[in-house]
C-alpha cells in the first residue's frame, strides 16, 4: 500500500472523467483507487477467483470458517454482498482473552450482517488448544489446524452445508507454498490448491481470498467498518510461516507482484504436473474406526490426539 | 564458516586420538576440521558427488571449464588430486582487466599442476562480451552463458574430450533453483540436474561441486595456495542470482543446512517427477542449419547472436 503519491487520482474515477482522490495504491496491479472503487475492486476480485477455480455458485450453501480476524470477516462480508448464501462457523479454541475477544467480535459481526453464526466449544469436543498443546510435541498451529479442519467438516455436514470457505489470503498461501517448496514436500505441494474437492466424507473446501493480500483484506475490513481482532494468536509466535512471510515481503518490496506471481504460476504451471503425478500415487480415504469421520489412516488424527491428551492427563 | 569456538579440536583428529586444532567449522555438517582434514573432506565429498550422480570414471577424458575463479580452479585441483584425466579450457571473454587477470591466473595454475589449458579467444570466434552486450538487449550473463556453452561443447568434441566439468557450486545451484522456482519455470527446472547427459551432438556436462558451498571452495583454494581472481566479473553486478544468494544465506544463517537441503531434496523428490513429465514433452534436438552444431531450433542461439551483432555493427 506504499508509494501512493500525494494528490494521486483514482484510476477508475479518472477513466470516468471524475476526480476522486486515490486512498490506496496497489503497486502489483498498477492501480490507485478511491475507497468506493477499492471495495468494488476487492469484491470483483473475490468473485473472479470463485469463478476461476469453480469454487461454488449461488445454489450452494456455504459455511465460512470465522476466526474473528480481518480475513474471515472480510470474506464473509464480501460473500454476503455478492449474494451468496454464507453462514459462519466459529470454533472457541479456549485461548483465554484471544478467544473471548474474537468470539465477541464474530458474534457482533454476524448480527450486523444478519447471518447465522454457529459456535462450537473445543473444550467440550476434545480439549482447549492450551491443553492440547501441553499434551503433545506438535507445533501448536499444526494441532490447531487438524482439529479445526475436523470439526468444521463434521459440523458443516451435520448442518447441511456443502462448502467450507476459509479466509486464507495470498500472503498465507504464498508463505505455506514457500515452506513446502523449501522442503520439496510433494505430499503437501500436491494439495496446495484453492479448492479441495469433496470426496469420501470430506466436503469441498475453498479459499476465495487466495489472490487477495493481507493488506488488501485489512483495508477492505477498515473501509467497511468491520471490527476484527487485531492481535495475533499468542501461540502463532515463532511459526516458520511468519519467517517465510517476511522473506517474501522483502522480495515483494523490490519486485512488486512477486508473491502473486509465485503463487499463481505454481497453480498454473506446477500444480497440473503434480496432479498428473498424484493420479498414480493417490492416497486412499478410509473411515476412522473410532468416530466414523473420513481419514487417511485407520484412526483419524483427532481421535489419535484424543488418545494422547487422555494419556497425558492420566500421567499428570 | 562462522561460530568456530576458540580452542575447538578437529573432529577427525579427535576420533584418532590426536589433538590438532580446528581451523574450519561446517555448521551444516556439524564438523570442525583442521586444514589437512578439511582438504581431505573436500576431495572425498567431490568424489562422492561424482559417484552419486555417475558423472564420470577414471577412463573418461574431462575438460574443465576454467574461469580463473576459486570454483573452477579448486575443481580442477581436486580432480587432478583424485587421479582423473582433466585438462582445462579457458574462454577469453575480452572483458578488459578482468579477462587479462583471470587468463594469467589460469595459465599459471595449469603450469603448476602440469595439465593442458586450451585457450579460445571469443572476439576471434564471435565478438567480445562487451560487444555482444551492447548489441543485444539480453542480460550480459545470459548471452555469456550461451556462448560459453556453445564453444565449450564444440571444442571439447574437436579435442577428443567426452566430459565437460564446470565449477558451479551449491550456492550457484541453489540460487538458480530458487529463481526458477519463484517463476515455476518448468523448462529450466527439469534441466536442473548436476549431470546433463550426452545426446544429439551435446557432450555430457557435469557439476562435481554442486554440494560444495562457495565458502568451502574458497577455503579449499586458500589451503592449497591456489591463486584465483578474487573480484567478480564487472558485468555480473545486479544479477538476480546475487539477490537470491543473499536471501538463501539469510535462511542458512538461521537454519544451517537450508541451502543443501533445498537443493538435495529437489534432486531427490521433485526432479524425478519432472523427468517423468519430460518424457512426454521432450524437446527435439536438431542441427543448426548454419554451423552444424546441435540446437533446439533450426538456427542455434550463437548463430542468431552473430546475426544480431552483425546487424548492430552495420547500423553503427
Amino acid at each position: 500500500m506504499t508509494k501512493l503519491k500525494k494528490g494521486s487520482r483514482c484510476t477508475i474515477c479518472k477513466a470516468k472523467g471524475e476526480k476522486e482522490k486515490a486512498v490506496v495504491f496497489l503497486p502489483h496491479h498498477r492501480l490507485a483507487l478511491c475507497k468506493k472503487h477499492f471495495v468494488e475492486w476487492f469484491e470483483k476480485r473475490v468473485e473472479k477467483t470463485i469463478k476461476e477455480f469453480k469454487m461454488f455458485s449461488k445454489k450452494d450453501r456455504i459455511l465460512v470458517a470465522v476466526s474473528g480476524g480481518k480475513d474471515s470477516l472480510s470474506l464473509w462480508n464480501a460473500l454476503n454482498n455478492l449474494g451468496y448464501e454464507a453462514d459462519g462457523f466459529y470454533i472457541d479454541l479456549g485461548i483465554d482473552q484471544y478467544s473471548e475477544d474474537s468470539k465477541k467480535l464474530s458474534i457482533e459481526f454476524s448480527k450486523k450482517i444478519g447471518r447465522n453464526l454457529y459456535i462450537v466449544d473445543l473444550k467440550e469436543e476434545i480439549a482447549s488448544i492450551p491443553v492440547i498443546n501441553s499434551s503433545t510435541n506438535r507445533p501448536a498451529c499444526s494441532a490447531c489446524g487438524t482439529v479445526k479442519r475436523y470439526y468444521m467438516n463434521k459440523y458443516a455436514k451435520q448442518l447441511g452445508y456443502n462448502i467450507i470457505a476459509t479466509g486464507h489470503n495470498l500472503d498465507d498461501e504464498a508463505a505455506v507454498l514457500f515452506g513446502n517448496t523449501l522442503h520439496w514436500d510433494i505430499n503437501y505441494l500436491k494439495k496446495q490448491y484453492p479448492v479441495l474437492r469433496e470426496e469420501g466424507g470430506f466436503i469441498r473446501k475453498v479459499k476465495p481470498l487466495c489472490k487477495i493480500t493481507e493488506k488488501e483484506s485489512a483495508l477492505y475490513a477498515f473501509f467497511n467498518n468491520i471490527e476484527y481482532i487485531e492481535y495475533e494468536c499468542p501461540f502463532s509466535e515463532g511459526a516458520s510461516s511468519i519467517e517465510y512471510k517476511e522473506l517474501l515481503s522483502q522480495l515483494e518490496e523490490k519486485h512488486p507482484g512477486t508473491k502473486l506471481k509465485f503463487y499463481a504460476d505454481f497453480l498454473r504451471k506446477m500444480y497440473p504436473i503434480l496432479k498428473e503425478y498424484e493420479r498414480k500415487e493417490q492416497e486412499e480415504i478410509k473411515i476412522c474406526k473410532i468416530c466414523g469421520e473420513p481419514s487417511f489412516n485407520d484412526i483419524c488424527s483427532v481421535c489419535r490426539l484424543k488418545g494422547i491428551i487422555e494419556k497425558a492427563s492420566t500421567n499428570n
Side-chain angles (χ1 to χ4, degrees), chain A residues 4 23 66 81 86 94 110 112 145 153 185 198 202 215-216 222 250 265 271 275 286 289 307 316:
Chain A
L4 181 65
V23 291
V66 171
N81 285 353
S110 73
K112 188 178 148 190
N153 191 66
D185 205 321
E198 55 278 26
F202 289 115
K215 285 181 186 173
E216 287 158 5
F222 176 73
Q250 265 183 51
D265 279 358
Y271 181 78
K275 206 179 160 190
K286 303 170 181 178
K289 285 183 177 169
N316 286 335

Side-chain angles (χ1 to χ4, degrees), chain A residues 11 18 23 88 95 112 122 129 186 213 216 220 224 282 311:
Chain A
T11 316
E18 290 162 24
V23 291
I95 308 177
K112 188 178 148 190
L122 201 60
I129 290 297
I186 308 297
T213 68
E216 287 158 5
Y220 178 81
N224 283 289
Q282 193 98 47
K311 211 172 156 188

Side-chain angles (χ1 to χ4, degrees), chain A residues 9-10 18 32 44 62 94 106 134 144 146 149 163-164 190-191 193 200 204 210 226 245 253 265 268 276 304 308:
Chain A
R9 296 282 150 85
C10 167
E18 290 162 24
K44 268 190 197 159
I62 302 150
S106 302
S134 65
C144 187
T146 298
R149 277 190 297 274
I163 307 280
I164 292 171
K190 74 185 186 194
K191 285 178 191 160
Y193 198 72
R204 194 189 304 172
C210 66
I226 298 171
K245 276 189 185 178
E253 189 78 20
D265 279 358
R268 194 165 58 84
E276 179 69 31
R304 271 182 284 154
I308 293 166

Side-chain angles (χ1 to χ4, degrees), chain A residues 29-187:
Chain A
H29 298 296
R30 295 188 186 178
L31 277 179
L33 296 172
C34 67
K35 179 178 154 178
K36 180 187 144 202
H37 285 126
F38 172 76
V39 168
E40 254 184 49
W41 171 87
F42 183 99
E43 291 176 359
K44 268 190 197 159
R45 191 158 174 82
V46 172
E47 179 80 317
K48 209 176 147 189
T49 305
I50 292 167
K51 298 223 160 101
E52 180 183 354
F53 297 103
K54 299 186 180 69
M55 291 182 170
F56 46 76
S57 73
K58 300 264 156 84
K59 289 178 203 157
D60 288 303
R61 292 198 70 214
I62 302 150
L63 196 58
V64 179
V66 171
S67 70
K70 62 187 185 320
D71 299 314
S72 57
L73 296 184
S74 287
L75 170 63
W76 198 4
N77 196 71
L79 293 183
N80 198 41
N81 285 353
L82 288 164
Y84 290 101
E85 196 193 334
D87 289 320
F89 186 81
Y90 177 88
I91 301 179
D92 185 340
L93 303 167
I95 308 177
D96 306 328
Q97 197 62 42
Y98 174 78
S99 288
E100 278 174 40
D101 291 346
S102 59
K103 185 161 73 178
K104 189 170 157 275
L105 291 165
S106 302
I107 294 170
E108 280 167 10
F109 183 77
S110 73
K111 287 181 185 159
K112 188 178 148 190
I113 63 166
R115 303 264 3 166
N116 287 331
L117 177 70
Y118 303 97
I119 297 176
V120 160
D121 190 342
L122 201 60
K123 71 173 180 296
E124 285 171 19
E125 300 287 343
I126 169 167
S128 70
I129 290 297
V131 169
I132 293 178
N133 197 40
S134 65
S135 310
T136 72
N137 291 323
R138 285 174 67 182
C141 297
S142 154
C144 187
T146 298
V147 294
K148 283 197 286 196
R149 277 190 297 274
Y150 178 90
Y151 292 107
M152 275 296 295
N153 191 66
K154 187 177 164 183
Y155 281 99
K157 283 189 294 180
Q158 280 183 16
L159 296 164
Y161 293 87
N162 65 329
I163 307 280
I164 292 171
T166 57
H168 294 96
N169 61 40
L170 176 61
D171 294 66
D172 298 328
E173 292 303 290
V176 169
L177 176 60
F178 189 81
N180 289 337
T181 302
L182 261 191
H183 306 111
W184 295 104
D185 205 321
I186 308 297
N187 280 328

